[in-house]
Amino acid sequence: MAKVSIAPTGKVGEDTYARILQTTAWAIARDGIKGMRMSHVAAEAGVSNALLHYYFASREELVSLAFDAFYARESDRFRQRLAGVTHPVTRLRAELLMSLEDHPDNRLDWMLWLEVARDAMHDERSRALYQEKQRIWVEDVMGQIQAAKDTKVVPASVDTRSAALRLMAPMEGFGWYVLLGQVEWSEAVACIDQAFMSELGTVGPPPPKGVVHP
Amino acid sequence: MTNQSVSASIDLDRRSQILECTCSVIARDGAEGLRMAAVAREAGVSSALLHYYYATREDLIRLAFEYHETRETARGEERLAAIDDPLERVRDVLLRELSDEEVVREGWVLWSEMSRTAIFRDDFRASVADRSARWVGLVANLIAAAQDAGRIPSSIDSVSAALRLTAMVDGIGGHVIVGSLSRAEARRTLDIAMAEMLHLDPDGLA
């Protein structure tokens, strides 16, 4: 019978499990999807190899669950910060700007994104993950543009998908430039605002104080 | 030719051959598992000679990337010289990155390998920063030339437009290279972006 992964129950077990997944995400960012070693993760998370192998049946499963956990946490982090922002354009703009903030989780996010993009050139599993993340991202941006059209904040004539692609595509270039310190935050904001003006005709009212910090 | 310059030119040929070979090995297998012995075998040189030219595999990867970029820039200049319309030159360098030619895919693989490692290595970061600055600079210069020729309004900030357009190509190309976006939709998306950013009549782009 194939070995299966066993998620823990109880507070201590859940904390350990979350810590292992977080440690794994950083290990992938640092050593790569293929270079990550389970024994290093066990040592860094302060658990035994036996426990790690008890929770996670294989490396592949550990990698895949670490990505899932990371993206679930990121999506919560963004949702919480944007909770009071109702204007669809303001919300979309704040979301894009937030992803460029100097925050450890943003760094991790861009590092994982680069690693998946790199591995996707040669690995089916990474390609599938990369395509799925791209699809989710495009659909998320499209959903917000559609909401802006529905509430007449942007003209109905805007082509939702085409505009979504043009708003988000440069973000991948900027995310990387900002991570490496090649583009100033203010420069990135100016570029994003120009893109909002040409695609949607508005940047929306400014977000409430504290939602986006450079 | 003196004996010395003959041996220098053999030396250069051999280095080019090794770097060409390294580029195709990386395009095929990625840089992560790249082994110097395998490159030496495929390039038909001894491991000793390979190590003589390139002390470490990181040197080999970085110099292969720079070789690829220099070679493609030279090819790009030849292509641009054959295009009369300065606006079409801007379009050519941008759309080039969405082409399905193997050498373009090779470039994407090399860039993604370099970018990923640039986070951790200063030499890779300097190399990638230098090449991105040249790429944005080339587009900015082509936009400025098209402005001089009256093909793009002079009110456009050429450097800022170049930054946005190249960032756009980076993102869209990333979707095309893994098959998330068709080349036709990518080209259309980029053409509309060009028209918006450069204040052109969209129908004016052939």
Side-chain angles (χ1 to χ4, degrees), chain A residues 13-89:
Chain A
E14 280 168 16
D15 285 352
T16 308
Y17 191 76
R19 190 172 71 243
I20 293 172
L21 292 175
Q22 173 74 352
T23 307
T24 305
W26 279 102
I28 293 170
R30 188 190 59 210
D31 303 328
I33 291 170
K34 305 231 167 39
M36 183 276 288
R37 295 278 158 266
M38 285 182 88
S39 56
H40 292 177
V41 169
E44 283 168 25
V47 300
S48 67
N49 273 318
L51 184 70
L52 186 67
H53 285 277
Y54 173 73
Y55 283 156
F56 305 97
S58 64
R59 253 180 62 81
E60 287 69 31
E61 199 146 359
L62 175 59
V63 168
S64 152
L65 289 166
F67 273 115
D68 289 350
F70 176 72
Y71 287 118
R73 213 163 48 89
E74 279 294 88
S75 140
D76 278 350
R77 179 168 74 91
F78 276 64
R79 215 181 357 249
Q80 276 169 22
R81 283 268 295 280
L82 294 168
V85 186
T86 48
H87 192 285
V89 176

Side-chain angles (χ1 to χ4, degrees), chain A:
Chain A
M1 202 175 91
K3 193 174 172 301
V4 292
S5 299
I6 298 161
T9 52
K11 176 86 176 89
V12 174
E14 280 168 16
D15 285 352
T16 308
Y17 191 76
R19 190 172 71 243
I20 293 172
L21 292 175
Q22 173 74 352
T23 307
T24 305
W26 279 102
I28 293 170
R30 188 190 59 210
D31 303 328
I33 291 170
K34 305 231 167 39
M36 183 276 288
R37 295 278 158 266
M38 285 182 88
S39 56
H40 292 177
V41 169
E44 283 168 25
V47 300
S48 67
N49 273 318
L51 184 70
L52 186 67
H53 285 277
Y54 173 73
Y55 283 156
F56 305 97
S58 64
R59 253 180 62 81
E60 287 69 31
E61 199 146 359
L62 175 59
V63 168
S64 152
L65 289 166
F67 273 115
D68 289 350
F70 176 72
Y71 287 118
R73 213 163 48 89
E74 279 294 88
S75 140
D76 278 350
R77 179 168 74 91
F78 276 64
R79 215 181 357 249
Q80 276 169 22
R81 283 268 295 280
L82 294 168
V85 186
T86 48
H87 192 285
V89 176
T90 302
R91 194 179 165 92
L92 177 58
R93 176 174 173 271
E95 190 181 317
L96 296 182
L97 292 181
M98 274 171 66
S99 70
L100 297 180
E101 284 174 4
D102 188 7
H103 184 290
D105 282 333
N106 279 340
R107 286 189 74 82
L108 181 53
D109 201 338
W110 285 114
M111 283 156 77
L112 291 175
W113 184 269
L114 281 175
E115 169 58 11
V116 175
R118 187 200 67 73
D119 204 42
M121 304 282 185
H122 311 285
D123 183 281
E124 282 301 324
R125 203 187 283 257
S126 289
R127 187 173 314 148
L129 176 66
Y130 191 50
Q131 287 175 332
E132 191 203 337
K133 293 296 159 209
Q134 287 174 330
R135 184 182 55 77
I136 291 172
W137 198 11
V138 177
E139 283 173 4
D140 175 48
V141 175
M142 282 175 68
Q144 302 195 58
I145 295 175
Q146 187 58 51
K149 283 165 72 172
D150 292 346
T151 50
K152 311 251 188 298
V153 169
V154 307
S157 58
V158 168
D159 179 330
T160 308
R161 178 171 160 89
S162 188
L165 283 171
R166 279 188 303 277
L167 282 178
M168 54 170 290
M171 296 300 297
E172 294 183 56
F174 288 139
W176 187 76
Y177 288 146
V178 171
L179 183 70
L180 293 184
Q182 281 188 21
V183 167
E184 294 291 328
W185 161 266
S186 56
E187 209 173 346
V189 175
C191 286
I192 289 170
D193 285 353
Q194 280 171 10
F196 270 77
M197 290 311 292
S198 24
E199 297 303 334
L200 308 179
T202 173
V203 293
K209 223 172 169 305
V211 169
V212 179
H213 4 233

